[in-house]
Amino acid sequence: MEHGDSKVDLVHRNEAPASRILIVAVGICALIAIVSVIIAAVALSRPSTPNITVNGGTVNGGTKGASGGSSGASSARAAVSSTNGGRVWGIQVGHDFAIQEYINTTGYLAGFHLDLIDAVCTAAGANCYSIWDQYTNCWDSEVGQHSHGGQALLDSWYDACTGWAQNVGRIQVFGFSKPFVKNAAIYLHFKTGSTYNENDVTGKTIGFLDSWIPDEKCLEQTTVTGANAITVKHFATTDALNTAIQNGQVDAGFASGKSMKAFDKVLTKSTKIYSCSIQGLSMMTRKDSDFNAMWNRGFDKIVSNGKFKELCKKSSQTHGSEARGQFVDCVDT
């Protein structure tokens, strides 16, 4: 009997700590559950992307100002809503277009197009942000292929691309605003001092700028002999095209005079001027976008109040230089 009493005491002594362990475990589980609920509530109350202020509003995942990139554009998406209830428009701008789009000495985008975007969006009462992206994401061209819409604009990474001339190919893919700059004159560009025949390019190698209006299809529409019997090479930048002309990689470049303005001292333009556009430089958008309605409304306002002419006139002193040119050839209003 004495031995049996010993067993009972042992059981009771073991039960006490076991009960305490169970209570502690239940308490920990309850605490974890409460913390999880709090975290979930906080997460749901926050936006999924950072808030960026744009023209007084706040946009989820956008980029303010004229600096950005392809990766930022794809994550931002276009035409998001601001916290003040207005729509926010994303507008692409490049950096390789003379006085209209360039990178200034501090590394930021500048040019007439940026000034125009600010004025039009302000007049329209619209929330807009500009974002840098490469031109081929708006419109692309490949050797031997018809030019086609760029991935970013087709996929709505942003709402519009700035300063694109209208031609037969583009108007079948995209929509356009009212033009604000006249068509740029197109030339064959030769190395200064070289021997060439601007009327016959049969068997020659001709360079073109990726995504620009003056592509090989445009050259074939001109009166230049042998335009359909050339070797075609494409280049991503005006610098690359000029270098190819200088080192003999191509016999000539086919591009607008404005785009190649920086190289006037080392290039000679053809005496004949060409054009493949049906309207001047405009905003280019998806056809299902209502961006152009907003833009045209704001543009009409700055035309009627004289702000547009003022911007065109001031562009010389604000952005003009020997390399970029001294003026913007704005449309007559």
Side-chain angles (χ1 to χ4, degrees):
M1 189 70 186
E2 193 174 64
H3 186 64
D5 288 341
S6 175
K7 285 185 178 180
V8 172
D9 291 341
L10 181 60
V11 170
H12 284 302
R13 285 195 298 269
N14 288 338
E15 282 180 348
S19 299
R20 286 195 296 270
I21 292 172
L22 179 60
I23 292 171
V24 172
V26 171
I28 292 174
C29 290
L31 182 61
I32 292 174
I34 293 171
V35 171
S36 298
V37 170
I38 293 173
I39 292 174
V42 172
L44 288 173
S45 68
R46 291 181 177 177
S48 59
T49 51
N51 289 330
I52 307 296
T53 300
V54 181
N55 287 357
T58 302
V59 54
N60 293 334
T63 301
K64 183 182 180 182
S67 59
S70 302
S71 59
S74 60
S75 63
R77 307 304 293 175
V80 293
S81 296
S82 66
T83 53
N84 63 15
R87 192 170 181 177
V88 181
W89 302 97
I91 303 174
Q92 178 273 351
V93 181
H95 73 281
D96 192 19
F97 194 15
I99 194 173
Q100 282 150 250
E101 298 174 357
Y102 64 93
I103 295 177
N104 65 22
T105 55
T106 61
Y108 288 95
L109 279 176
F112 172 76
H113 284 168
L114 274 298
D115 298 341
L116 182 65
I117 289 170
D118 180 60
V120 170
C121 289
T122 299
N127 292 321
C128 302
Y129 68 94
S130 54
I131 183 169
W132 177 89
D133 202 4
Q134 54 192 353
Y135 294 125
T136 52
N137 273 335
C138 290
W139 186 263
D140 200 5
S141 55
E142 300 175 23
V143 176
Q145 303 294 323
H146 285 286
S147 298
H148 56 84
Q151 179 185 2
L153 192 53
L154 287 172
D155 287 350
S156 297
W157 292 5
Y158 30 73
D159 295 284
C161 294
T162 308
W164 292 77
Q166 304 177 41
N167 70 357
V168 173
R170 289 178 180 174
I171 63 173
Q172 296 180 78
V173 180
F174 291 128
F176 292 85
S177 70
K178 292 181 178 180
F180 42 81
V181 174
K182 295 177 182 178
N183 289 327
I186 299 170
Y187 304 87
L188 277 165
H189 299 263
F190 302 91
K191 180 180 179 179
T192 297
S194 64
T195 301
Y196 57 86
N197 180 357
E198 68 173 68
N199 298 310
D200 190 345
V201 294
T202 304
K204 302 297 183 180
T205 300
I206 308 298
F208 302 86
L209 290 170
D210 267 341
S211 78
W212 293 67
I213 282 276
D215 58 12
E216 54 265 41
K217 304 298 182 183
C218 174
L219 181 59
E220 290 176 8
Q221 297 173 27
T222 69
T223 58
V224 177
T225 301
N228 60 350
I230 61 173
T231 298
V232 174
K233 290 194 175 182
H234 282 204
F235 298 89
T237 67
T238 55
D239 280 331
L241 177 55
N242 175 62
T243 298
I245 297 171
Q246 299 304 319
N247 65 24
Q249 185 180 351
V250 299
D251 297 294
F254 190 60
S256 72
K258 181 172 293 184
S259 65
M260 303 301 287
K261 175 65 181 176
F263 314 107
D264 277 354
K265 292 184 177 180
V266 294
L267 293 177
T268 299
K269 294 190 286 285
S270 58
T271 56
K272 290 184 179 178
I273 302 173
Y274 306 101
S275 177
C276 293
S277 304
I278 56 178
Q279 286 284 351
L281 275 58
S282 313
M283 304 303 288
M284 185 169 71
T285 69
R286 284 170 55 97
K287 285 185 179 247
D288 59 358
S289 172
D290 52 359
F291 174 89
N292 285 331
M294 177 280 293
W295 179 272
N296 288 340
R297 184 172 66 251
F299 181 69
D300 287 344
K301 286 184 178 180
I302 67 170
V303 167
S304 63
N305 65 21
K307 178 69 174 178
F308 179 64
K309 281 188 176 180
E310 181 183 337
L311 284 176
C312 295
K313 185 176 180 180
K314 284 186 176 180
S315 63
S316 177
Q317 63 187 62
T318 307
H319 305 292
S321 73
E322 183 179 4
R324 292 190 294 268
Q326 296 294 342
F327 71 97
V328 176
D329 195 14
C330 293
V331 296
D332 298 322
T333 56

